[in-house]
Amino acid sequence: MRVLGIETSCDETGVAVYDAARGLLAHAVHTQSAVHAEFGGVVPELASRDHVRRLPPLVRRVLEESGSRPGDVDGVAYTAGPGLVGALLVGTAFGRSLAWAWGVAALGVHHMEGHLLAPMLEPDPPAFPFLALLVSGGHTQLVEVEGVGAYEILGESVDDAAGEAFDKVATLLGLPYPGGPALADLARNGDPGRFRFPRPMTDRPGLDFSFSGLKTFALNTLAGGHRDERFLADVARAFEDAVVDTLVIKCRRALRATGLPVLVVSGGVGANRRLRAALADMAQREDAAVSYPRPELCTDNGAMIAYAGCCRLLHGASEPRRFGARARWGLEELRPPGA
Ligand code: KG4
Ligand code: ZN
């Protein structure tokens, strides 16, 4: 089975072709950061319009690069939620129309299920069951994964997501949008010993997160010094260390509580180098394995949507007649394919 995947939930247009027998054949992402940079964040209407412009040529290019003709494609998977509803509707309308024109199945995919299954695209994929840390711009969740569609959320952020905290603190530091990668770059030159930020909610039991207090802490720290390059880098480093440490502590706790042998890390913040290194180190000490998609498949992309769609289409999943996209959609609402 060969599936075309389309991702348009936020500010990246992602397209890919995944083949169940041959793996990922081609994928490409167009990022809209230049469109939104001057506004300091994603402007939903501009995101939708840019997806409209970018999606058709990107689909044409990826089909060509994968060596697929329309008759070779057995299904079209597109992100149906959660995300910006206008942006989602572009991928939904385009994906469903294409599938209808080609006479193949169409399927709406849950964006976070895409992130969750992204490590399966790598050469040595993790086996079920595993523990997953999903860290994106909109979500921070620890999930027990029994198999495709069998998800139990063990903990999640009660306020800002980790990526959102990165983006907000980056703005306080005067960094351009998108803030997460820029903050991580700045932190590289920072002194880890100069400031110490709290590790929120690690002093009490449970697996939930809270990152909004770190933003206030950063604001107060910034008010107490002169904003030169050195000072900003030290604050960035202290913030990054606090987020990384907090995520490591909660992942360790979840590994111990569940006894699961593998930790999977995915979502945009999963591209953070310091986080990847710290989690790998912790997992080794816990005698657990850790599995990440390559950084380009941690952030939003079409490959994870093509893969998740393929898993479900192979089990006979089919599209409901109702046309629509869901801005909000809980991962735990999903069921295994065929169930
Ligand atoms: O998964 P993703 O691409 O989109 C969502 O589904 O939200 O995640 C985007 C988030 C943004 O908040 C971005 O700042 C953050 O991931 N991010 C990073 C890094 N790369 C992306 N945060 C920290 N370090 C990075 N290297
Ligand atoms: Zn995402």
Side-chain angles (χ1 to χ4, degrees):
M1 171 171 284
R2 190 172 290 192
V3 176
L4 172 73
I6 295 174
E7 155 63 34
T8 63
S9 68
C10 189
D11 59 344
E12 255 103 28
T13 316
V15 177
V17 174
Y18 177 81
D19 186 288
R22 294 174 49 204
L24 185 60
L25 298 183
H27 95 103
V29 175
H30 171 78
T31 173
Q32 301 182 347
S33 43
V35 172
H36 305 290
E38 65 173 296
F39 305 102
V42 180
V43 183
E45 180 59 22
L46 296 183
S48 310
R49 292 184 202 182
D50 204 55
H51 287 307
V52 170
R53 270 192 296 273
R54 302 289 176 174
L55 191 53
L58 209 59
V59 166
R60 203 170 293 130
R61 188 181 123 198
V62 169
L63 282 173
E64 214 170 277
E65 283 174 9
S66 71
S68 309
R69 293 163 170 279
D72 300 334
V73 175
D74 305 297
V76 180
Y78 55 86
T79 307
L84 302 172
V85 80
L88 289 165
L89 283 171
V90 176
T92 303
F94 194 84
R96 285 186 75 144
S97 307
L98 210 52
W100 183 75
W102 287 346
V104 300
L107 193 66
V109 169
H110 192 292
H111 181 79
M112 299 312 289
E113 177 169 71
H115 277 306
L116 197 70
L117 299 177
M120 299 300 188
L121 290 161
E122 298 303 347
D124 191 13
F128 297 116
F130 55 71
L131 175 70
L133 172 68
L134 293 178
V135 269
S136 71
H139 294 81
T140 304
Q141 295 178 320
L142 272 166
V143 187
E144 183 166 350
V145 180
E146 280 296 323
V148 174
Y151 310 127
E152 185 185 347
I153 295 178
L154 304 175
E156 60 190 330
S157 181
V158 298
D159 43 52
D160 292 355
E164 190 178 358
F166 262 94
D167 294 338
K168 286 178 176 170
V169 172
T171 303
L172 297 176
L173 291 166
L175 296 170
Y177 165 87
L183 191 156
D185 276 347
L186 179 65
R188 274 204 233 183
N189 306 316
D191 172 1
R194 180 155 171 207
F195 301 111
R196 186 176 164 83
F197 280 38
R199 275 56 174 159
M201 295 180 77
T202 54
D203 57 350
R204 64 190 94 160
L207 294 168
D208 284 339
F209 304 90
S210 165
F211 291 109
S212 73
L214 290 179
K215 189 179 54 195
T216 315
F217 205 88
L219 194 64
N220 292 339
T221 309
L222 284 167
H226 178 63
R227 293 177 67 100
D228 57 23
E229 188 70 10
R230 173 88 275 139
F231 175 65
L232 295 178
D234 293 345
V235 174
R237 179 63 196 261
F239 167 79
E240 186 180 45
D241 281 350
V243 175
V244 167
D245 243 21
T246 304
L247 292 171
V248 168
I249 291 167
K250 292 291 165 96
C251 286
R252 187 198 296 127
R253 203 177 275 178
L255 281 172
R256 289 183 182 171
T258 58
L260 289 166
V262 184
L263 170 66
V264 158
V265 185
S266 194
V269 184
N272 183 280
R273 291 207 209 163
R274 220 181 291 281
L275 177 65
R276 293 168 83 95
L279 286 172
D281 192 48
M282 178 278 289
Q284 196 179 17
R285 284 167 210 264
E286 297 296 310
D287 215 12
V290 62
S291 175
Y292 319 89
R294 68 198 92 150
E296 76 193 68
L297 297 185
C298 271
T299 47
D300 290 350
N301 65 83
M304 64 186 197
I305 303 304
Y307 179 81
C310 186
C311 288
R312 289 186 172 273
L313 287 166
L314 275 173
H315 283 86
S318 62
E319 191 71 315
R321 278 177 178 274
R322 195 184 63 89
F323 178 94
R326 294 179 66 178
R328 289 174 179 277
W329 186 4
L331 196 55
E332 64 285 359
E333 290 179 44
L334 298 184
R335 293 290 167 264

